[in-house]
Amino acid sequence: MNKKICLCFLAYLCLFGSKLYGQVASSTTTGDTRVTAPSSLVIHGEIISKTPVDTVTAVFWEHYVDSKKGITKTETIPVATEKGNVFSGTMGSRGFCIKTPSFSGMAYLSLRYPGGTLWKRFHITAGDTVRTIIDLDRAAMLFSGPDAESYRVQYQLAMEELLAKKRTVPVMFTANREAFLQNDGYDAAYKKAASLSKTGLYPLMRFVEGPEDKYELIKTLLPEGQVSVSENRLEEYRDKIPQLLHGVLRADLTAKRLNRLLDSFNRYMDGGEKYKSLYGERILPLTEIAFADEVVANSSDYTDLLLLRSLIISRMERKSPESLFENYAPPVRDYLTVKFMARYHRQFEDVNERFAQAEEKVQAEWIKHVLANMASSMNTGKPFLDVALEDIDGEEVHLNELRGKAVFIDFWFTGCKACVLYHENQMEPLMERFKNDDRVVFVSINTDQSKKVWKRSLESGKYTSQTALNLHLGDMGNKLLEYYRIQSFPVQMMLDSSGNVFRSGLQRKSVGDMSALLRKAKNPSW
């Protein structure tokens, strides 16, 4: 009898052990357990809506660097929804099932439908399984299944972040508040907003009119030490979700709380004694790294914060940002390096050398690959990509036909205020300097989808001059934007007389500096 009991008990242990092992092998759990092999996330979804939703799309990032497209590889997974099943209790809704590619540890995923975004870059863990019920009619989202808590907390934090943003006082920078409000409709709209603010439900815009106002704005953004609603909410899940995910979400919240402060400080600090004092006493202590390397490497928001912190230290203490990255462990240093290069490489004179140095320093192979791809499209000295653009008459134009001349290219789109200012303050004075030089050509490339809109903008004279070679991207132009990773505007490039890329990202250069570069571009061998 005892022998039978023992055999049964051993069989039970084997069965229980195999189930337990299967869970550990395929997912990251609370505690120190780690994924032993790559696995997928499986999402079982159900959408309730009066207007049927026929498709759902998941966007998967195994690694995430920046919101700009093309920097890191994404997998787009479109799935057709199916009518609900009476036997599963899903009648009246439409269901779907999404399985991501296999990955290890943590990754990112957005879930979208034709009407908008359901999950915005959620942290996902290899091996997770979750069911999500999305009621579009009631604007509600529910979660169930073995890993439901990991996704429920992220949805709740996203909702609270949205509410916090709606409570944030908007800021307007202007040289003269009264003059600004005299514009058509602004005064009436401001009075209405002021009336609504008295209810306590709406914030009222704060005007910042000068250096002292900027300084006071930064001081008001300094946290007072109180715990936010989101941080309290996250604490409720401490023992319900994996420890790593809990740490990453804490890091995300910390970054979002401090990012506006650091961004404002970085934009408006003038090097004066007040800013130096604030920097040493309040800014630096706030942003000292407070999380484990594994947590930081999985929080894109927090590495953004550390990058911003490094840029501020670089300006205040006259050190290169790259030298400051050396203070961090390899996983964090790698992320800071690739983020820095992705955002600022267009400002470098020695772009080829900087990419080579960055590739040499990073350890992660996927980051080396990202840097190599960016470098291959941006390296100076390489021929400009040959694509067919369209002129005002619809004729094809290839910029390689301009060899023998230095070419200054300005990319813009209709409605871009920065593009208007750049044309007025940079392009027009620069073109005036070279108006009698037939070895310099100014090319204006419009990125509007509508050619009619482009032509109307040409007539306005706000974005470009009639003396420039005005071109539209046309049918093949998007290939040009993708190849050179152009996603924000205005963007400029300069080609030398051999048709090679000479400089890229010139918007912050003075007219004098650009004039000197154009003269070199005419004779690149000088």
Side-chain angles (χ1 to χ4, degrees):
M1 183 70 177
N2 289 339
K3 185 176 180 180
K4 288 182 178 179
I5 292 173
C6 289
L7 288 173
C8 290
F9 181 68
L10 286 172
Y12 172 79
L13 280 179
C14 290
L15 177 61
F16 178 77
S18 66
K19 289 183 177 180
L20 180 61
Y21 175 78
Q23 291 173 355
V24 171
S26 63
S27 66
T28 302
T29 61
T30 55
D32 294 324
T33 306
R34 294 290 181 266
V35 171
T36 57
S39 188
S40 301
L41 162 71
V42 179
I43 306 169
H44 296 274
E46 182 182 346
I47 297 182
I48 302 168
S49 175
K50 291 178 182 178
T51 304
V53 175
D54 296 324
T55 59
V56 174
T57 301
V59 182
F60 169 80
W61 295 265
E62 184 171 6
H63 307 290
Y64 182 84
V65 171
D66 202 283
S67 59
K68 295 179 180 178
K69 296 178 182 178
I71 291 181
T72 44
K73 181 182 178 182
T74 60
E75 296 280 347
T76 302
I77 310 166
V79 174
T81 62
E82 297 180 351
K83 288 184 178 179
N85 188 318
V86 65
F87 298 104
S88 62
T90 58
M91 284 297 291
S93 63
R94 297 188 69 87
F96 62 90
C97 181
I98 291 175
K99 183 177 181 181
T100 69
S102 293
F103 64 100
S104 297
M106 295 181 68
Y108 297 86
L109 185 131
S110 289
L111 194 61
R112 300 169 181 167
Y113 76 112
T117 298
L118 303 168
W119 298 5
K120 185 176 180 181
R121 216 170 66 244
F122 273 28
H123 294 285
I124 63 175
T125 302
D128 276 1
T129 299
V130 65
R131 179 187 179 194
T132 179
I133 303 169
I134 302 157
D135 190 335
L136 295 178
D137 296 333
R138 294 180 176 85
M141 194 175 300
L142 306 174
F143 299 88
S144 63
D147 303 295
E149 303 286 10
S150 294
Y151 300 87
R152 183 179 294 118
V153 64
Q154 293 189 71
Y155 172 67
Q156 291 176 352
L157 292 177
M159 294 300 98
E160 285 169 4
E161 180 188 354
L162 176 62
L163 182 58
K165 284 183 178 179
K166 290 297 182 182
R167 290 172 174 163
T168 300
V169 175
V171 175
M172 171 65 70
F173 295 91
T174 178
N176 188 315
R177 167 183 165 172
E178 297 305 322
F180 175 81
L181 290 177
Q182 286 175 5
N183 289 318
D184 292 342
Y186 285 178
D187 188 50
Y190 180 77
K191 288 178 180 177
K192 182 177 180 181
S195 176
L196 286 171
S197 72
K198 294 177 181 178
T199 66
L201 300 175
Y202 297 87
L204 180 64
M205 176 172 284
R206 175 176 179 170
F207 287 92
V208 178
E209 298 183 70
E212 190 61 31
D213 282 353
K214 292 177 181 178
Y215 179 74
E216 291 300 320
L217 170 65
I218 294 169
K219 286 179 63 178
T220 61
L221 293 175
L222 284 164
E224 297 298 332
Q226 69 273 21
V227 178
S228 69
V229 174
S230 295
E231 288 168 318
N232 281 329
R233 175 74 66 188
L234 179 58
E235 196 59 25
E236 296 172 6
Y237 286 83
R238 175 179 286 276
D239 299 321
K240 299 178 183 179
I241 62 177
Q243 288 180 8
L244 177 57
L245 175 61
H246 186 271
V248 169
L249 293 176
R250 277 187 59 226
D252 287 351
L253 291 178
T254 300
K256 289 169 182 174
R257 178 165 51 88
L258 297 177
N259 185 66
R260 188 180 178 211
L261 165 65
L262 261 67
D263 184 60
S264 296
F265 188 87
N266 190 46
R267 286 172 182 266
Y268 309 124
M269 64 179 179
D270 59 11
E273 290 303 316
K274 290 191 302 184
Y275 282 95
K276 288 179 181 178
S277 175
L278 195 62
Y279 163 75
E281 295 174 7
R282 303 292 301 276
I283 301 297
L284 280 181
L286 274 175
T287 56
E288 290 176 349
I289 192 165
F291 298 94
D293 295 335
E294 185 181 18
V295 168
V296 176
N298 281 285
S299 172
S300 182
D301 289 331
Y302 201 80
T303 48
D304 283 346
L305 181 73
L306 293 182
L307 176 57
L308 194 47
R309 180 182 194 268
S310 297
L311 294 175
I312 290 172
I313 296 173
S314 172
R315 290 181 62 188
M316 296 297 288
E317 301 184 15
R318 300 185 181 279
K319 299 177 180 178
S320 72
E322 293 100 324
S323 69
L324 298 171
F325 301 161
E326 299 297 324
N327 297 327
Y328 299 102
V332 179
R333 184 175 66 232
D334 285 4
Y335 268 100
L336 293 175
T337 299
V338 71
K339 284 175 179 283
F340 177 68
M341 294 301 295
R343 295 178 190 179
Y344 299 105
H345 65 271
R346 294 186 185 278
Q347 300 179 18
F348 303 152
E349 294 284 351
D350 52 347
V351 62
N352 296 353
E353 183 180 345
R354 298 285 278 271
F355 269 118
Q357 291 172 351
E359 286 185 58
E360 185 178 347
K361 287 182 179 179
V362 300
Q363 295 185 11
E365 288 300 321
W366 73 267
I367 291 182
K368 286 182 180 290
H369 182 68
V370 169
L371 290 170
N373 282 344
M374 282 196 289
S376 66
S377 65
M378 293 309 306
N379 274 0
T380 57
K382 289 190 175 183
F384 186 74
L385 186 67
D386 184 26
V387 296
L389 303 172
E390 292 185 19
D391 67 13
I392 193 69
D393 298 317
E395 299 294 328
E396 285 191 359
V397 174
H398 293 259
L399 294 191
N400 60 10
E401 298 170 355
L402 300 175
R403 285 179 181 168
K405 303 174 187 287
V407 181
F408 190 97
I409 308 170
D410 179 40
F411 294 88
W412 60 278
F413 70 91
T414 299
C416 169
K417 292 183 179 179
C419 301
V420 172
L421 292 173
Y422 189 82
H423 172 67
E424 179 182 342
N425 299 323
Q426 304 284 99
M427 288 295 294
E428 286 188 334
L430 189 62
M431 293 174 71
E432 179 65 23
R433 291 192 182 195
F434 289 91
K435 64 181 180 181
N436 297 319
D437 192 334
D438 60 5
R439 290 192 60 202
V440 175
V441 178
F442 290 89
V443 178
S444 171
I445 299 180
N446 175 265
T447 63
D448 293 338
Q449 291 186 350
S450 168
K451 294 177 186 177
K452 290 183 179 179
V453 171
W454 166 52
K455 291 179 180 180
R456 284 201 300 268
S457 296
L458 286 182
E459 294 173 359
S460 74
K462 295 191 299 183
Y463 300 91
T464 182
S465 167
Q466 295 296 332
T467 59
L469 175 57
N470 288 296
L471 303 175
H472 186 268
L473 283 180
D475 296 330
M476 296 298 294
N478 284 330
K479 182 180 178 182
L480 186 67
L481 299 184
E482 291 173 6
Y483 184 79
Y484 289 111
R485 305 177 189 274
I486 297 172
Q487 296 179 346
S488 57
F489 300 88
V491 170
Q492 297 77 39
M493 298 182 73
M494 194 180 292
L495 311 184
D496 64 24
S497 57
S498 299
N500 297 325
V501 176
F502 187 70
R503 289 288 187 276
S504 179
L506 299 161
Q507 62 265 36
R508 294 190 179 183
K509 297 286 185 187
S510 68
V511 174
D513 287 342
M514 290 191 294
S515 298
L517 287 172
L518 272 174
R519 286 191 286 271
K520 289 181 181 179
K522 288 194 297 181
N523 301 282
S525 59
W526 285 8

